[in-house]
Amino acid sequence: MDLVGQLQRQFVDYTTSLTREGFLDDQFKQLQKLQDESNPEFVVEVVSLFFEDSEKLLNDLASAFQQKIVDYKKVDAHVHQFKGSSSSIGAQRVKNVCVAFKTYCEARNFEGCSICLQSLEQEYHLVKSKLETLFKLEQQIMAAGGSVPEL
Amino acid sequence: MASQLKRVCKRISDFCNSCERNQSPSGSRRTFHRDVEPEEFQYASSHCLSSYYSVFVVRLAIMVMLAILIGLLTLLTWHFTRVYTAKSLENLAFALRYELLQRPILRMWNILNSTVEITTAQVKLSEVVIRRYSKPVDQAQQVELYEVMRDVTWALFASRRALNAITINYRNGFVQAFHRDHRSNNTFYIYSDLVNYSISGAYDTNNLSSRGGWSDQSIHNNTTASWYREPLDPATGERIGKPRKIPPDELINIAGISQVPDGAASWHVAVSKYTDSPLLSVALPVWDDANGSIVAVVGVTTALYSVGRLMKELVEFHSGHIYLTSQEGWLLATSTNAPLLMNSTTEPKLMRPTNSEDPVIRMGAELLMRQFGNKFPPNHEVHVENARLGHQLYYIDSFFLDLKRLPMVGVIIIPRKYVMGKVDERAFKTLVILISAASCILVIGCICIFILTNGVSKEMKLRAELISHLDARRKAEASSNYKSQFLANMSHELRTPMAAVMGLLDILMCDDYLTNEQFATITQIRKCSTALLRLLNNILDLSKVESGKLVLEESEFDLGRELEGLVDMFSVQCINHNVETVLDLSDDMPRLVQGDSARLVQIFANLISNSIKFTTSGYIVLRGWCEKPNTCSNTRKFPHNGKESWNTHKRNLKQYARHENKVILWFEVDDTGCGIDPSKWESVFESFEQADPSTTRTHGGTGLGLCIVRTLVNKMGGEIKVVKKNGPGTLMQLYMHLSTPADTIGKHCQLKFTEHNLMVLLALNGRMGRLIMSQWLQKNDVFTWEASEWNELTQILQEIFQAKSYAEPRESSKVECLSKQKGKDSIFLVVVDIGLLDLNTDIWREQLNFLNKYSGKAMFAWILNHDTSNTVKLELRSKGHLLMVNRPLYKSKMMQILEAVVKEKNVELQQKLNASKTTTKEEGDLHVCLEMDPIRYDAASSDDSDKSPSACPSQSDTVNNCLDSNFTPNDQNHTRSNFCENSKSLELSCCSSKVVNGQKSLEGLRILLAEDTPVLQRVATIMLQKLGASVVVVGDGMQAVDALSALENDSARNETKIGECPLYDLILMDCQMPKMDGYEATKAIRKSELETRSHIPIVALTAHAMSSDEAKCLEVGMDAYLTKPIDCKLMVSTILSLTRRNAKPLLEAT
């Protein structure tokens, strides 16, 4: 019981810290709210979807920048999609990078785009690790027999 | 000289350059103050430097060329003036010198000649005389001979005064001589003593063969012979003194036989003790004809001093020196007084010119000696020019006089100064003048060049500056562009969180657990954020306009409705201000126009809110009228005398108005506020400009509103202006070009009220509104009365009804009409402002009761305030007053009222028996109320201005109250959703109520979700499912279209089902998708819908947030627009509004 409480507190703290640091925003909370008995794994499902999608997009982007002539239109489409998906799960910082990326892309600024791509990867991996930690915590709570606290 | 000039030029240009260099740093420093990047300056300054350098080179080149030119000119001038003169003068001088020398030589020649002549004459005479006495017999005869000879000789001697001496030396040694001493002017006769000479000896002609007898010895050795000298009278030859014995040969040279060895004349130059000049002596023999022997020798001596005198005279006149020498080099004559003979101890001797005492002659002779020595040229002619003797330059010329016996050389030494002195002087002066003139010209030229090139360099400098300015301007423009861009982006980015803030506040406000204080605070925050948002919107608009991104929509809209909605909205604000808002649109205004309704409304919203800000009491009138391009004569009178000022515009408009279906709409916003100072009439339209900065504190504002208005009006092809107004306040006039749909031009549905015999009593508070309304009604043949307060109203009512037969009407015509109409079925309408009732106390109930008395005879329409309490409304309704409209009253409302009245009257008349009165009335009521609703939302959409939150709920209350009893819940929902659509405040309250009602607000809806991003797909699906909707997900646009067409096919198969349940109530469409994006998909769907005449609502989902995307979405046929991330509430409200609208016809159908 003690363990569960501790874990729960840890979970709450972690989530708030994520929000405070801007990794996640309200959208993520909304996702959590959407999760209920009918689809208990909703958040994890969505987020893993996001991970898959993002990996694919990042690969696409990286390969697009490998080309001699960068197809900005394509890149723009990818970034746009990335922005949509990241904003949907509430990965705020990823989204922000996407916004900047899009601007550079419209301006056909290669350097800016490269920098953005790098930071995008960085942010993505950051948020990914954070979220994984979060889910791990959640699992631990579940395993300990507690319930994930409402935020 | 030229090089010197060059050096001077260089010096000057160096100096100039240094000056410029001194100036240039200050210039660059000055330019540094401007806000341009320094590199550019470095570039510019280096550019300047190079330009300076090139200018310097050009200057130098021009100066050098000038110097060369001037130098050449000077040289040429000098050459021509100097050399030619010199040459001709030289020639002249040569001739002169020749001439000069010729004359003494000629004199010499003359002297020689005359001497020869005398000698010859003497010889001839002697011959004659001697022949006569050839045979002297005795001494006496001999003596006689000598006497005769003496006389003859004297005659000859006397005839020639120049002669120095004539001597006759007989063979026998007798000597006769006349001698003239020029110095003492004495003449002497010299003879030898006859005693010593034997006659015999003398006459021994036989011995003549031996010439030895004629030896000089006979004379010279005959020292024993005694000679006598006796002075003679020079004129007569008389003896005047005694003869004195003298030693022979002491005085004169006696020509002896030795001098005539060959019998020809002989010449030589001799010297004598008694003359200081050389003597020319000639000797001729006297021949005896008989035996051909020489009997005597005649010698003539001439002094050469006359030549010297001539020379002196010449030299006196011409200056210079002349001397003559014999060929041997002995000096014969000079032009000076220097002695010609050397006084040696024994006897005087001839001297050479090199020994002359005269320095010039000596030096000249020395020079000649040095140069030529003894090797004179063959003709002895020498010309030496510019011989330096002492300190002067001389011409030295020698001429050779080739006399047979006595060749002579003449030398003339003339100082150069004499001949060329003036010329040299002139030449020098000319040179000096030339040089000074040339240098002056050069200096002036250089200065001119400097000045001219200075201008050029200045120009270059200016040009360089201009270039840098251009660059700077380009940069500034670019940065301003960036700024606009940045502003647009920024305000957009700011708007998003603002929306969130406001949404959250709205949620908070719906919370039931707030204390009053909290609620008040939140309300306050809500207000502030609204203001902030508006400011952001303004900035966004402005920056959009500035960056040229503002694109006006072109869609059809109901102009009147938009404006009515606007006025409705503002009247709410105005109530607190005690300001009346009146809309006055003329009847000829087209109902439908093409244009950007939102922008149009924004214009008027800005103008009106501006007016409200500055108007504390009175009214704000929005007038509008139409000017048809083909009827230029404006039938409508201008309310104010602004007509002239607009004439110029009109002329332009005529051209513009050629386009079909274009109308010029004129508007006026007239208020009774504080007014604007005429000097600020132009500047108020500038951005961030306010008429009176001090008012900012009282009224607030950024000064952006009017600027936006003007740019918008300009964009619509119009203009806005502040126009002079008679009363206090401001009058803004504007016109704009809008096109109207072809079919609606001039077609303005108008109810013909005349046939219904309408009579209206306007009991309204607002003076202006009442006035305008009654004017309009009268124009439409409706009789009106006006009342501004309760007492007036009652009075008029009483006059009309209670004392209709005898009462004194105010206007006889009215009474007549009234009586006429009374005969028919006239309708009497009383429009009462709720404000006329005394609501503060309970008197209003009595007043209502009073009015109730007339309820049978007249219809009542009530103008309600927004805050009219429910009790009043209930009371009114219970009294049967069912026609209620909110303030303000404008034409369309009035028209609706009239229509309702007419309809009711008709219904009343026809179905008096059957129909229940209340239902009909309520229907009418419902009708009126429902008509009003969409307006409200339009108004709210076009500007988010401070619609006071307190007003809104009450408004919806009003409506709800009206509707409560009549509507099914579905309908209620519909109304609500109508409200919710765009007015957030309302919408959120609605939504919150929904949430309270239950989570499943989308129960039963079937939604097709087209979204490619799996994450979003999932999220949206869950979200919608949670709300109770059933969701079908497709991955792209193509699938969506397919799904729909499959549905259609399905529906074709089992047609019966369609009516009840179409497969999808709504599509959520992502805009950017692979294969087929949202826009394309929508287009395809809409195209296919054309056949089935159905309309499925499509809501765009996009991560774009620019309103241009919104425009694009709507353009392709989507109905609404949601941004990612999906806001649940917003989505619900949007979906509801769209589905209900669709559901309504279905419901009605069932």
Side-chain angles (χ1 to χ4, degrees), chain B residues 346-448:
Chain B
T346 54
E347 56 176 319
K349 265 190 201 164
L350 281 171
M351 62 197 301
R352 293 202 175 263
T354 47
N355 300 326
S356 166
E357 281 178 20
D358 191 87
V360 176
I361 289 172
R362 191 177 63 234
M363 283 189 290
E366 277 167 1
L367 185 111
L368 284 174
M369 278 290 284
R370 253 201 321 279
Q371 287 201 336
F372 302 100
N374 291 324
K375 288 170 280 176
F376 272 97
N379 55 0
H380 282 266
E381 280 195 18
V382 170
H383 304 287
V384 179
E385 282 177 18
N386 300 336
R388 178 165 287 278
L389 307 177
H391 301 294
Q392 271 191 306
L393 286 172
Y394 289 92
Y395 289 111
I396 300 174
D397 299 271
S398 75
F399 298 96
F400 183 61
L401 184 66
D402 193 11
L403 296 176
K404 199 175 172 192
R405 296 298 174 98
L406 188 68
M408 282 191 294
V409 175
V411 173
I412 182 162
I413 301 173
I414 285 185
R416 188 192 156 83
K417 202 166 79 181
Y418 169 66
V419 181
M420 304 297 281
K422 279 277 166 66
V423 175
D424 282 343
E425 202 180 328
R426 279 278 158 80
F428 183 70
K429 273 183 189 166
T430 317
L431 195 62
V432 166
I433 288 167
L434 274 176
I435 288 170
S436 50
S439 47
C440 276
I441 288 169
L442 196 67
V443 166
I444 289 166
C446 286
I447 289 167
C448 284

Side-chain angles (χ1 to χ4, degrees), chain A residues 27 30-31 33-36 39 42 45-46 49-50 53 76-77 80-81 83-85 87-89 99 102, chain B residues 489 493 504 1012-1016 1018-1019 1022-1023 1025-1026 1070 1072 1074 1102-1104 1124-1128:
Chain A
Q27 192 65 27
Q30 289 215 4
L31 282 185
K33 269 183 199 162
L34 286 171
Q35 181 169 308
D36 54 12
N39 34 14
F42 175 68
E45 185 192 342
V46 169
L49 268 175
F50 168 70
D53 198 35
D76 191 46
H80 186 77
Q81 209 176 346
K83 185 183 158 199
S85 58
S87 67
S88 295
I89 69 145
V99 172
K102 258 180 90 74
Chain B
N489 287 342
E493 294 299 317
L504 288 170
D1012 62 322
T1013 322
V1015 182
L1016 257 176
R1018 194 78 191 106
V1019 173
I1022 295 296
M1023 230 181 230
Q1025 279 173 353
K1026 279 220 151 187
D1070 185 18
Q1072 270 199 343
T1102 173
H1104 291 300
K1124 293 178 192 173
I1126 299 167
D1127 180 0
C1128 184

Side-chain angles (χ1 to χ4, degrees), chain B residues 403-655:
Chain B
L403 296 176
K404 199 175 172 192
R405 296 298 174 98
L406 188 68
M408 282 191 294
V409 175
V411 173
I412 182 162
I413 301 173
I414 285 185
R416 188 192 156 83
K417 202 166 79 181
Y418 169 66
V419 181
M420 304 297 281
K422 279 277 166 66
V423 175
D424 282 343
E425 202 180 328
R426 279 278 158 80
F428 183 70
K429 273 183 189 166
T430 317
L431 195 62
V432 166
I433 288 167
L434 274 176
I435 288 170
S436 50
S439 47
C440 276
I441 288 169
L442 196 67
V443 166
I444 289 166
C446 286
I447 289 167
C448 284
I449 288 165
F450 174 66
I451 289 165
L452 287 177
T453 50
N454 210 28
V456 172
S457 75
K458 227 171 238 172
E459 196 189 313
M460 279 178 123
K461 224 186 291 172
L462 285 178
R463 199 169 292 172
E465 219 161 286
L466 195 70
I467 287 166
S468 67
H469 277 198
L470 279 178
D471 272 357
R473 205 187 68 185
R474 210 171 301 138
K475 272 193 183 166
E477 271 170 9
S479 74
S480 139
N481 228 3
Y482 287 141
K483 192 194 69 190
S484 298
Q485 199 89 33
F486 171 75
L487 268 179
N489 287 342
M490 262 330 276
S491 55
H492 185 261
E493 294 299 317
L494 287 171
R495 228 152 48 135
T496 321
M498 273 314 291
V501 168
M502 287 167 71
L504 288 170
L505 284 173
D506 287 329
I507 294 169
L508 253 186
M509 279 162 75
C510 296
D511 200 333
D512 296 335
Y513 304 108
L514 289 175
T515 63
N516 279 343
E517 276 169 28
Q518 279 169 337
F519 188 81
T521 315
I522 289 166
T523 314
Q524 203 62 40
I525 296 170
R526 179 69 170 74
K527 267 187 192 170
C528 292
S529 42
T530 318
L532 191 52
L533 188 61
R534 186 170 49 188
L535 185 62
L536 284 173
N537 282 342
N538 278 345
I539 292 171
L540 182 62
D541 281 341
L542 199 67
S543 53
K544 245 187 189 173
V545 170
E546 270 182 3
S547 57
K549 276 189 184 158
L550 183 82
V551 181
L552 289 180
E553 253 176 50
E554 192 73 14
S555 63
E556 218 168 275
F557 66 97
D558 190 330
L559 180 67
R561 266 207 188 180
E562 296 285 352
L563 294 179
E564 280 158 13
L566 196 66
V567 171
D568 275 342
M569 192 185 74
F570 278 110
S571 69
V572 178
Q573 277 185 35
C574 290
I575 283 167
N576 304 335
H577 284 269
N578 192 25
V579 175
E580 188 186 359
T581 322
V582 185
L583 178 68
D584 178 18
L585 299 176
S586 75
D587 290 334
D588 58 357
M589 291 277 277
R591 200 171 60 83
L592 289 175
V593 291
Q594 291 267 2
D596 192 331
S597 61
R599 296 299 174 189
L600 189 86
V601 169
Q602 193 183 1
I603 290 171
F604 291 108
N606 275 338
L607 286 176
I608 294 173
S609 68
N610 202 51
S611 288
I612 287 173
K613 225 188 262 176
F614 296 104
T615 310
T616 46
S617 67
Y619 56 86
I620 294 163
V621 185
L622 171 59
R623 288 193 196 89
W625 66 98
C626 175
E627 187 184 338
K628 292 270 167 53
N630 32 8
T631 57
C632 275
S633 56
N634 201 343
T635 46
R636 189 192 161 99
K637 258 196 272 169
F638 276 80
H640 294 286
N641 51 355
K643 200 172 179 177
E644 292 80 10
S645 61
W646 291 82
N647 272 347
T648 45
H649 303 299
K650 268 198 206 157
R651 223 168 295 135
N652 298 336
L653 297 185
K654 271 181 210 166
Q655 296 169 336

Side-chain angles (χ1 to χ4, degrees), chain B residues 66-318:
Chain B
L66 187 77
I68 289 168
L69 194 75
I70 289 170
L72 274 177
L73 265 177
T74 315
L75 277 178
L76 273 177
T77 318
W78 189 70
H79 178 76
F80 282 116
T81 53
R82 155 85 195 160
V83 173
Y84 282 144
T85 328
K87 195 151 265 180
S88 53
L89 270 177
E90 206 101 306
N91 288 340
L92 276 175
F94 182 73
L96 173 75
R97 276 164 3 227
Y98 188 80
E99 222 25 65
L100 278 181
L101 206 52
Q102 207 66 18
R103 281 165 68 180
I105 285 171
L106 274 178
R107 175 66 61 91
M108 200 68 166
W109 176 247
N110 278 344
I111 288 167
L112 284 176
N113 270 351
S114 61
T115 316
V116 168
E117 272 166 25
I118 287 291
T119 320
T120 318
Q122 180 64 37
V123 166
K124 294 297 172 203
L125 282 170
S126 305
E127 277 177 7
V128 171
V129 171
I130 289 169
R131 204 180 301 138
R132 186 174 298 166
Y133 301 98
S134 56
K135 302 288 194 263
V137 283
D138 54 1
Q139 193 78 20
Q141 263 187 317
Q142 192 81 14
V143 170
E144 201 180 330
L145 170 68
Y146 294 143
E147 281 299 319
V148 172
M149 279 301 287
R150 182 182 174 263
D151 289 342
V152 169
T153 310
W154 170 253
L156 280 173
F157 184 70
S159 73
R160 296 283 170 146
R161 300 195 64 83
L163 294 179
N164 187 257
I166 298 180
T167 62
I168 304 168
N169 187 7
Y170 297 94
R171 203 164 60 173
N172 58 1
F174 187 74
V175 172
Q176 280 184 310
F178 287 95
H179 168 70
R180 193 180 277 148
D181 187 354
H182 284 287
R183 281 182 300 194
S184 55
N185 210 14
N186 292 328
T187 310
F188 303 100
Y189 175 58
I190 298 166
Y191 57 95
S192 53
D193 190 10
L194 275 170
V195 181
N196 297 335
Y197 302 96
S198 63
I199 292 171
S200 58
Y203 295 106
D204 184 8
T205 51
N206 297 332
N207 296 336
L208 277 179
S209 58
S210 69
R211 295 243 172 112
W214 276 92
S215 69
D216 280 336
Q217 269 183 319
S218 63
I219 300 166
H220 295 291
N221 295 342
N222 194 5
T223 50
T224 55
S226 57
W227 291 28
Y228 300 91
R229 191 181 68 170
E230 50 181 37
L232 296 176
D233 180 39
T236 58
E238 298 283 322
R239 285 190 189 96
I240 52 171
K242 287 208 169 168
R244 265 197 297 150
K245 202 175 177 179
I246 54 163
D249 269 355
E250 197 177 330
L251 278 176
I252 51 170
N253 290 320
I254 306 295
I257 198 75
S258 62
Q259 287 173 340
V260 281
D262 50 353
S266 86
W267 305 82
H268 75 271
V269 177
V271 288
S272 121
K273 264 184 214 165
Y274 303 102
T275 57
D276 50 359
S277 72
L279 300 171
L280 181 70
S281 62
V282 179
L284 266 179
V286 180
W287 296 90
D288 186 5
D289 287 339
N291 47 17
S293 63
I294 297 169
V295 290
V297 174
V298 174
V300 177
T301 314
T302 313
L304 286 177
Y305 75 85
S306 67
V307 178
R309 196 178 296 155
L310 181 71
M311 282 177 173
K312 233 174 270 174
E313 279 168 18
L314 285 173
V315 161
E316 257 169 33
F317 187 71
H318 292 291

Side-chain angles (χ1 to χ4, degrees), chain B residues 830-892:
Chain B
V830 185
V831 181
V832 192
D833 193 336
I834 200 81
L836 288 184
L837 302 182
D838 191 351
L839 293 172
N840 291 335
T841 55
D842 269 349
I843 299 171
W844 63 275
R845 286 179 197 278
E846 289 167 27
Q847 287 171 329
L848 271 185
N849 285 332
F850 172 77
L851 289 179
N852 223 16
K853 286 193 280 182
Y854 302 100
S855 60
K857 300 160 194 166
M859 311 281 292
F860 284 91
W862 289 90
I863 311 294
L864 299 183
N865 276 343
H866 302 282
D867 51 355
T868 308
S869 65
N870 273 342
T871 45
V872 178
K873 280 182 225 165
L874 282 171
E875 187 65 31
L876 282 173
R877 196 166 292 134
S878 69
K879 298 279 183 198
H881 302 295
L882 293 161
L883 276 173
M884 286 181 268
V885 292
N886 275 329
R887 258 179 186 285
L889 182 65
Y890 40 75
K891 279 163 204 169
S892 58

